[in-house]
Amino acid sequence: MTSLPRLVAFDLDDTLAPSKTAIDPRMSELLLSLLDQVEVCIISGGNFTQFQNQVVDRLEGANPERLAKLHLMPTCGTQYYRYVDGSWAQIYAHNLSDDEKARALAAVEASARRLGLWESEVWGPILEDRGSQITFSALGQQAPVAAKQAWDPTGSKKESLREAVQAELPDLEVRSGGSTSVDITRRGIDKAYGMNKLVELAHTPLDDMLFVGDRLDEGGNDYPVKTLGVECIAVEGWEDTAAHLDALIPRLAAR
């Protein structure tokens, strides 16, 4: 990127925080400092409640001026929230129909069982209806980070499941999500869709955006952003992201 970004977008799990856990106080401070300089977007597979629990509620000192510059895009950009008049308001949601949900739930469960990926020892629900997205979490929504990291270190299990489910649901989008998850949304509504919507909603061209994520590999749910030509930084955890922000924020403040 020859010029500094006007908007910085982030994945959440394994980019801003370990999977399903709250951001570290250091990351909170960095995000607040970043919000003083540019617009910030978080776009990830989790639902809005996860965004609140993991990030928003941890932003101590986040005044209305800062929150007004924060764009939240849960479920891979199929939903969009802004801070309006003292509370978070849903601006849009591309919800799946009842038929699409039913077919998605049936296809992912049947494929997981057939491939031997339907686990008996889990922490919480394996399947979740997030309105605009169906999510399969192999070890359950509340699985500990260590168990998730050990389940599929190469990503081959998720990829085999993603391919199998996509073949069953040609009219829907099936993408590898977090460390143990597969996400199903409407075709063409993914993180690339969300970033394109930001052009209009944040009045910022793609060339002025920077995206930070841990799944920029082909098939990963961050990959669609890369295909847009948006400047991207690949990270391997929140500490990596923090190091990049440590370098970026002083440059933004000095411009």
Side-chain angles (χ1 to χ4, degrees), residues 64-254:
E65 290 74 22
R66 282 166 159 169
L67 293 176
K69 294 168 70 177
L70 181 58
H71 306 257
L72 300 182
M73 290 187 156
T75 53
C76 294
T78 60
Q79 300 176 16
Y80 177 60
Y81 289 78
R82 292 297 301 277
Y83 192 75
V84 180
D85 297 329
S87 62
W88 290 96
Q90 186 182 78
I91 307 302
Y92 71 69
H94 296 293
N95 290 327
L96 296 164
S97 69
D98 289 343
D99 172 69
E100 288 169 331
K101 290 178 182 179
R103 290 190 293 111
L105 288 165
V108 72
E109 179 172 351
S111 296
R113 290 185 182 278
R114 185 176 71 254
L115 294 170
L117 301 178
W118 190 268
E119 303 291 344
S120 56
E121 183 180 355
V122 297
W123 294 262
I126 294 176
L127 299 175
E128 185 181 4
D129 176 358
R130 296 177 176 174
S132 56
Q133 177 177 289
I134 296 299
T135 296
F136 165 89
S137 298
L139 301 179
Q141 288 294 319
Q142 287 80 48
V145 172
K148 288 183 176 185
Q149 291 173 339
W151 185 74
D152 186 23
T154 66
S156 60
K157 292 180 180 178
K158 282 188 305 173
E159 180 56 24
S160 64
L161 179 60
R162 187 202 66 78
E163 289 180 353
V165 178
Q166 186 65 82
E168 296 292 321
L169 301 170
D171 59 321
L172 298 177
E173 194 83 44
V174 184
R175 289 205 172 271
S176 175
S179 53
T180 63
S181 63
V182 169
D183 300 322
I184 303 168
T185 63
R186 286 206 170 142
R187 169 72 67 177
I189 303 181
D190 53 17
K191 289 188 179 182
Y193 173 87
M195 297 297 285
N196 274 320
K197 288 292 287 184
L198 275 179
V199 173
E200 158 197 346
L201 298 163
H203 312 290
T204 305
L206 292 174
D207 287 347
D208 288 337
M209 296 183 188
L210 173 67
F211 178 82
V212 183
D214 71 309
R215 290 301 317 278
L216 286 159
D217 53 295
E218 189 169 358
N221 65 1
D222 295 330
Y223 184 72
V225 180
K226 189 175 182 179
T227 65
L228 291 177
V230 172
E231 183 78 15
C232 293
I233 294 176
V235 296
E236 296 183 355
W238 77 267
E239 297 93 343
D240 202 2
T241 302
H244 284 289
L245 291 180
D246 279 332
L248 175 63
I249 292 170
R251 295 177 60 212
L252 292 169

Side-chain angles (χ1 to χ4, degrees), residues 17-103:
S19 180
K20 302 294 189 299
T21 65
I23 57 172
D24 186 87
R26 180 185 172 206
M27 182 57 71
S28 174
E29 291 177 6
L30 286 167
L31 288 175
L32 290 171
S33 295
L34 188 63
L35 284 165
D36 287 336
Q37 304 300 326
V38 294
E39 304 277 316
V40 174
C41 174
I42 301 172
I43 179 168
S44 191
N47 58 27
F48 179 67
T49 299
Q50 287 175 247
F51 278 49
Q52 281 188 303
N53 293 340
Q54 290 183 252
V55 182
V56 177
D57 291 349
R58 308 290 172 163
L59 294 176
E60 296 183 12
N63 56 34
E65 290 74 22
R66 282 166 159 169
L67 293 176
K69 294 168 70 177
L70 181 58
H71 306 257
L72 300 182
M73 290 187 156
T75 53
C76 294
T78 60
Q79 300 176 16
Y80 177 60
Y81 289 78
R82 292 297 301 277
Y83 192 75
V84 180
D85 297 329
S87 62
W88 290 96
Q90 186 182 78
I91 307 302
Y92 71 69
H94 296 293
N95 290 327
L96 296 164
S97 69
D98 289 343
D99 172 69
E100 288 169 331
K101 290 178 182 179
R103 290 190 293 111

